[in-house]
């Protein structure tokens, strides 16, 4: 899984900027089984992460049928609780639109890199 960048984020801090980072959860049968996160990009509304992550998938004959990825974009805060800026679900029942099309491509060609 590669997290490239985000654009035009809302202002989350009093300074008019954000300190964004991404959390990625791997879900299997609806349960979170792994979590990874990017580095925090300080004071930006257009962060470039360019970070890749590797997840170990449970052995299953269903392929990626019961697997989901949940991406959460958060604003890091030193004092208060980190705020959610946005989220994306890939796979599963909540996946629709362009996310569903992307997930279908991943399932069809599991070894090919898809952007």
């Amino acid at each position: 899984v590669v997290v490239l960048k985000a654009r035009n984020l809302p202002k989350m801090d009093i300074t008019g900027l954000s300190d964004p980072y991404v959390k990625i959860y791997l879900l299997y049968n609806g349960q979170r089984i792994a979590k990874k996160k990017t580095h925090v990009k300080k004071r930006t509304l257009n962060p470039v992460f360019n970070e890749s992550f590797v997840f170990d998938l449970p052995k299953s004959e269903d392929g990626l049928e019961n697997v989901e990825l949940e991406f959460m974009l958060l604003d890091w805060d030193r004092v208060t609780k980190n705020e959610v800026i946005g989220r994306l679900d890939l796979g599963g029942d909540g996946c629709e639109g362009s996310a569903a099309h992307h997930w279908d491509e991943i399932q069809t060609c599991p070894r090919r890199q898809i952007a």
Side-chain angles (χ1 to χ4, degrees):
V1 175
V2 177
V3 178
L4 289 178
K5 62 184 175 180
R7 288 182 288 197
N8 304 320
L9 298 180
K11 300 169 185 154
M12 301 298 282
D13 297 338
I14 355 172
T15 60
L17 298 170
S18 294
D19 302 316
Y21 69 98
V22 178
K23 264 190 194 177
I24 308 165
Y25 293 103
L26 175 69
L27 291 87
Y28 183 70
N29 288 331
Q31 293 204 320
R32 290 179 176 166
I33 60 170
K35 173 178 73 173
K36 311 263 183 176
K37 67 180 184 176
T38 66
H39 291 92
V40 175
K41 299 297 178 185
K42 299 279 190 165
R43 299 180 299 280
T44 180
L45 298 177
N46 299 292
V48 176
F49 298 103
N50 200 20
E51 296 182 40
S52 56
F53 303 93
V54 176
F55 289 96
D56 292 325
L57 296 174
K59 189 169 179 137
S60 170
E61 294 182 18
D62 299 335
L64 297 175
E65 181 112 1
N66 300 319
V67 175
E68 297 174 48
L69 285 170
E70 178 184 340
F71 295 83
M72 290 180 67
L73 182 65
L74 297 116
D75 175 49
W76 179 84
D77 286 311
R78 181 183 302 278
V79 181
T80 59
K81 188 176 180 210
N82 297 342
E83 299 171 278
V84 176
I85 299 172
R87 62 178 278 198
L88 168 71
D89 293 321
L90 279 181
D93 298 332
C95 188
E96 50 191 41
S98 62
H101 175 71
H102 191 76
W103 189 249
D104 289 341
E105 275 188 273
I106 291 169
Q107 287 184 308
T108 307
C109 308
R111 299 262 179 241
R112 197 176 92 212
Q113 197 170 12
I114 299 167

